[in-house]
Amino acid sequence: LKQLNFYPNDIKLYLLASNWSIIAEEQAFIKRCGVCKDEIGSRIICARIADRLMRLCFLYSDHYAPYSKWFGFAFNELPIDKEIGANIHRALSSDSLNDRENYIVQAQVLVANLHNSCEITEHIEVEVQRYHSRDIKVIFADQYAVAIMNKLQGTKFEHMPRIGTLSQIGNYSAISDQIYYNKKVKALYGE
């Protein structure tokens, strides 16, 4: 029963790297969408990044993330810096594009500090930077994914796509709970 207490270490590392990778793919788009007058797109991307940051907090705290009905409640119970949740809340509720960007980036900084405090990888300097000289703030989340993936060299996770678990893609219990789909779902991850 103790084995089910939390993910085995390699799986945890893979999930951490996946979440950082997914954040890295869209980290600049909150501001870019907003500048293009796509307010809804900016908010949706902000919410996706917030979800990934929250999932990272569960992983760093060695707690399984529950399904959507209890996700926010359980997140608030995690033994983490409460400013992470406060900044996520501010980002999601902000009508100002600049404030939304600032709050979600500050939440990323705090989760990056949480990463460093767990000593999973070498210390990574947390720095808010301009995204390729544009007026967009990022922490270059990909550096966390790369550092974690370096820990997975020589494991079966080394070459897996960084997409996380099926539950991270969405609440697809109709697929994940049906044995009929197992082979098709496995194909997403390669061999």
Side-chain angles (χ1 to χ4, degrees):
L1 191 59
K2 188 173 181 169
Q3 292 174 325
L4 298 177
N5 219 15
F6 197 62
Y7 297 112
N9 192 56
D10 285 354
I11 294 173
K12 176 183 173 177
L13 292 175
Y14 167 73
L15 295 175
L16 287 167
S18 293
N19 280 287
W20 281 116
S21 289
I22 294 167
I23 290 170
E25 290 175 16
E26 294 190 307
Q27 64 188 342
F29 296 169
I30 293 170
K31 184 84 172 260
R32 290 180 78 185
C33 285
V35 168
C36 295
K37 307 294 185 227
D38 181 4
E39 179 66 15
I40 290 176
S42 175
R43 287 177 184 267
I44 288 170
I45 292 167
C46 184
R48 281 199 297 254
I49 291 173
D51 177 77
R52 300 301 175 201
L53 291 171
M54 293 167 73
R55 289 182 185 282
L56 284 167
C57 290
F58 278 101
L59 290 164
Y60 285 122
S61 300
D62 291 338
H63 285 77
Y64 286 113
Y67 76 111
S68 59
K69 177 180 174 185
W70 297 104
F71 187 70
F73 179 83
F75 173 77
N76 289 327
E77 300 297 313
L78 290 175
I80 59 168
D81 183 345
K82 296 306 174 195
E83 277 301 302
I84 296 170
N87 278 294
I88 287 171
H89 178 63
R90 291 177 192 120
L92 294 174
S93 60
S94 181
D95 288 327
S96 161
L97 177 61
N98 287 328
D99 287 347
R100 184 179 311 128
E101 177 192 44
N102 287 333
Y103 290 134
I104 203 68
V105 169
Q106 186 55 38
Q108 290 175 59
V109 165
L110 294 169
V111 175
N113 287 334
L114 179 59
H115 169 87
N116 282 330
S117 73
C118 291
E119 299 180 341
I120 290 171
T121 66
E122 295 292 324
H123 181 85
I124 299 170
E125 196 62 39
V126 183
E127 183 181 355
V128 177
Q129 301 175 51
R130 292 174 71 120
Y131 185 72
H132 303 294
S133 74
R134 297 182 178 129
D135 184 27
I136 296 172
K137 298 176 187 171
V138 297
I139 65 164
F140 288 104
D142 52 317
Q143 65 186 326
Y144 299 91
V146 169
I148 296 166
M149 287 304 293
N150 286 337
K151 297 285 187 180
L152 290 170
Q153 288 182 358
T155 71
K156 63 183 172 185
F157 297 98
E158 181 178 13
H159 299 292
M160 288 179 72
R162 294 182 216 151
I163 59 174
T165 65
L166 190 59
S167 66
Q168 290 180 267
I169 298 169
N171 289 308
Y172 296 121
S173 58
I175 293 174
S176 62
D177 294 349
Q178 303 267 343
I179 200 158
Y180 167 79
Y181 295 111
N182 281 359
K183 285 183 182 177
K184 293 178 182 189
V185 169
K186 273 180 136 177
L188 290 172
Y189 297 93
E191 296 184 42

